[in-house]
Amino acid sequence: MRPNVNGIGMTSQRTRARLVERLFEQGITDIRVLEVMRTTPRHLFLDEALAHRAYEDASLPIGFNQTLSQPYTVARMTALLLAGGGMKRVLEVGTGSGYQTAVLAQLVEEVYSIERIRPLQERARLRLRELKLHNVTLRHGDGFGGWAAKAPFDGILTTAAPRAVPQELVEQLRVGGRLVIPVGDDRRQQLSVVTRTETGFEVREVEPARFVPLLSGMVR
Ligand code: SAH
């Protein structure tokens, strides 16, 4: 399942190693996540003009007013998801550049990912194909409704923030499954872990966050 990283110079390998050291210092200790982030070429998920900034711990523009999440955020969300255990089938809402998708694809069996902006989805598809990550299924759509035909999921990860936890996403989790999601408005958001229980769900707020909003409708 490892992507082919041919053609990527020593420089980016070294800068990735430094990035991973910084993530560790910031409290990301899940070795599986660190290892995948050390080997995944984040610069391939950016326009050429920005590729040289790929290993800064910063969120970067990907067009259409959207951003590729900061590496710390990708690592944190992935680790929170995996901590749920038994993550085989995972849904991502907000494919964006496809970087978070690529990280997930190397850690779980199957990834389903939805993006509302068609051109972003198409670019992500090419990159994931280039990295030979074939356990990913992409769809152009509005992720507020999840992906009922593929449910139940062991985990769901949302890379844009709704104002409240979307009920439909929780309903597409198996009992014991978890949704990792930023919740709030543009002034205050909390990265949260929502666990589905027999009778409903439980929410744990992890830390303050800053994500683009989860928006309804689709862009062609
Ligand atoms: N994980 C992405 C982050 C992209 S930013 C990356 O690593 O690049 C969040 C993305 O969520 C944007 O691409 C945005 O278009 C998308 N998005 C926002 N609301 C959505 C919705 N309702 N359904 C699907 N995608 C949505």
Side-chain angles (χ1 to χ4, degrees):
M1 282 209 279
R2 276 289 136 77
N4 179 349
V5 291
N6 279 343
I8 290 144
M10 271 312 283
T11 322
S12 64
Q13 278 183 32
R14 261 202 300 269
T15 43
R16 278 204 296 273
R18 271 202 293 274
L19 171 68
V20 163
E21 278 164 27
R22 283 202 302 274
L23 293 174
F24 185 81
E25 284 159 15
Q26 289 172 283
I28 309 293
T29 53
D30 188 321
I31 202 81
R32 297 165 295 179
V33 175
L34 293 172
E35 184 54 20
V36 164
M37 290 191 60
R38 196 178 61 74
T39 56
T40 304
R42 188 173 187 255
H43 63 278
L44 295 186
F45 293 85
L46 289 161
D47 284 343
E48 250 170 79
L50 279 171
H52 68 285
R53 298 188 53 195
Y55 303 104
E56 291 172 19
D57 193 19
S59 60
L60 293 166
I62 55 172
F64 303 88
N65 276 326
Q66 302 303 318
T67 54
L68 199 173
S69 305
Q70 190 187 350
Y72 170 80
T73 306
V74 172
R76 189 82 172 125
M77 292 183 88
T78 309
L80 286 169
L81 189 83
L82 293 183
M87 289 295 149
K88 292 196 173 130
R89 179 188 283 250
V90 169
L91 173 68
E92 176 190 36
V93 176
T95 316
S97 68
Y99 176 71
Q100 168 80 72
T101 325
V103 169
L104 283 173
Q106 297 169 81
L107 291 161
V108 306
E109 277 174 28
E110 296 168 75
V111 181
Y112 296 87
S113 185
I114 309 177
E115 172 55 56
R116 67 186 282 277
I117 301 175
R118 168 89 78 187
L120 288 180
Q121 189 226 343
E122 280 168 1
R123 275 177 231 167
R125 186 186 298 286
L126 295 177
R127 291 165 179 147
L128 293 164
R129 194 180 294 158
E130 200 178 326
L131 293 176
K132 301 187 167 54
L133 295 170
H134 300 304
N135 58 338
V136 176
T137 313
L138 300 181
R139 199 184 100 187
H140 178 226
D142 179 349
F144 264 107
W147 194 333
K150 304 293 181 187
F153 298 99
D154 301 306
I156 302 179
L157 193 151
T158 303
T159 67
R163 284 170 177 264
V165 176
Q167 189 73 30
E168 273 186 279
L169 292 184
V170 180
E171 282 165 7
Q172 291 180 21
L173 286 171
R174 65 163 160 84
V175 171
R178 55 169 58 185
L179 164 64
V180 179
I181 187 169
V183 182
D185 56 28
D186 46 8
R187 278 174 309 178
R188 189 180 170 277
Q189 289 174 15
Q190 280 289 326
L191 180 58
S192 309
V193 175
V194 183
T195 306
R196 176 150 189 199
T197 64
E198 295 283 354
T199 49
F201 63 90
E202 284 166 10
V203 183
R204 173 165 66 95
E205 290 187 347
V206 178
E207 62 195 30
R210 223 195 141 89
F211 285 78
V212 294
L214 192 69
L215 300 171
S216 25
M218 280 148 70
V219 179
R220 299 231 150 245

